[in-house]
Amino acid sequence: MTTLSQISKSVQRHPFHLVDPSPWPFVASLCAFSCAIGGVMYMHAYVNGSFILSISFFCLLLVMFTWWRDVIRESTFEGHHTGIVQQGLRFGVILFIISEILFFFAFFWAFFHSSLAPTIEIGSIWPPKGINVLNPWEIPFLNTLILLLSGCTVTWCHHSLVSNLRNQSVLSLFLTIVLAIVFTTFQAYEYSMADFRLSDGIYGSTFYMATGFHGFHVLVGTISLAVCLIRLLQYQLTQQHHFGFESAAWYWHFVDVVWLFLFVSIYWWGGS
Amino acid sequence: MSEVTIQVRTAPRDRRFPTTNQTKHCWARYLEFHACSKVKGDDDPECEKFKRWYLSLCPEEWVENWDTLKEEGRFPGPE
């Protein structure tokens, strides 16, 4: 007969999910380290630098896939993500997004440092002489509307999920991903057609570092939304429990807000 | 032997540039001279005043560099 004291001894006395031993954190750190080595080699024109960087980055993607696959197994299929565990995950994702905000803060700092008091070497004016800036009211404004609309569709998806409207949730999430891909396509087109490049002085540097990293975050956000769509189609997201989707949606809103700041500061104010 | 009085002076203080770093002051006077001479000609006394000021404030190398850039049409400031 199982006594109450036996049961209470076997129940964990903390709100955390302690995972089974996993090699992925260590493997991920190895891949990240070799990405750093490859990156530095590439940037200093060492032979095989780009090869090492590509291989390491590919391995990093594999580790991400495998680690998150394990998280899905632990949560959806083994049931370890109780309410309180989810609260911990929510806190973690919020802290991660705050760290990303600080990351972009640095690039905006660099932009405003250079543009608010332009040096005499560029004629004390911004944009510097010779830079043909992009018209903010053409593709950049369209991209702003696209991202705002995608923010609406992802919210629509959340509401549909909560209301158990499966068809609408699939449609709205699909539309969100389509809008994200359209945004990326337009940005790639603008990048190809722009008169200035990353190496074109301080304007090129600040513009492409800020918008380039934003584009990378759009890519990451698009992939995570696509994973959510696959999981949604496979009935892994339920009416009550869909934190993977919620974190992807939060990330997507963050990407949208960063774009709004980029549009107002760099495209609109910085181009006039 | 008559006494010779040497007057040593530089550009007057400009409240637009209150800090120790007078780079922008030098730049401003250089631009002002060229804007003035464009309207009034190089020899006008008012323009000559700006010229003395920028020659005093600015390092020689900068002035030579800017003059060269102007000749080549690559000067980053206003036309």
Side-chain angles (χ1 to χ4, degrees), chain A residues 168-216:
Chain A
Q168 279 194 41
S169 58
V170 170
L171 173 64
S172 51
L173 188 49
F174 176 72
L175 283 176
T176 310
I177 295 167
V178 164
L179 287 167
I181 293 170
V182 168
F183 172 90
T184 307
T185 311
F186 277 136
Q187 271 300 80
Y189 172 75
E190 277 253 287
Y191 271 26
S192 69
M193 297 299 280
D195 279 336
F196 55 90
R197 306 164 74 178
L198 179 67
S199 49
D200 283 326
I202 190 63
Y203 187 88
S205 296
T206 50
F207 178 90
Y208 283 111
M209 286 300 277
T211 61
F213 269 115
H214 174 262
F216 179 71

Side-chain angles (χ1 to χ4, degrees), chain A residues 117-118 120-125 129, chain B residues 23-24 27 66 75-77 79:
Chain A
I120 60 176
E121 283 83 356
I122 56 169
S124 295
I125 50 168
K129 197 173 185 180
Chain B
T23 302
K24 287 275 167 72
W27 173 255
W66 292 338
F75 185 64
E79 290 301 311

Side-chain angles (χ1 to χ4, degrees), chain A residues 72 75-76 226-237 244:
Chain A
I72 292 171
S75 56
T76 305
V227 167
C228 287
L229 179 59
I230 294 167
R231 294 187 67 208
L232 176 63
L233 291 168
Q234 295 189 344
Y235 299 92
Q236 292 183 19
L237 304 177

Side-chain angles (χ1 to χ4, degrees), chain A residues 252-272:
Chain A
W252 192 250
H253 288 305
F254 154 72
V255 158
D256 188 9
V257 169
V258 170
W259 174 261
L260 293 175
F261 277 95
L262 282 175
F263 178 73
V264 169
S265 321
I266 297 183
Y267 284 94
W268 188 0
W269 176 81
S272 59

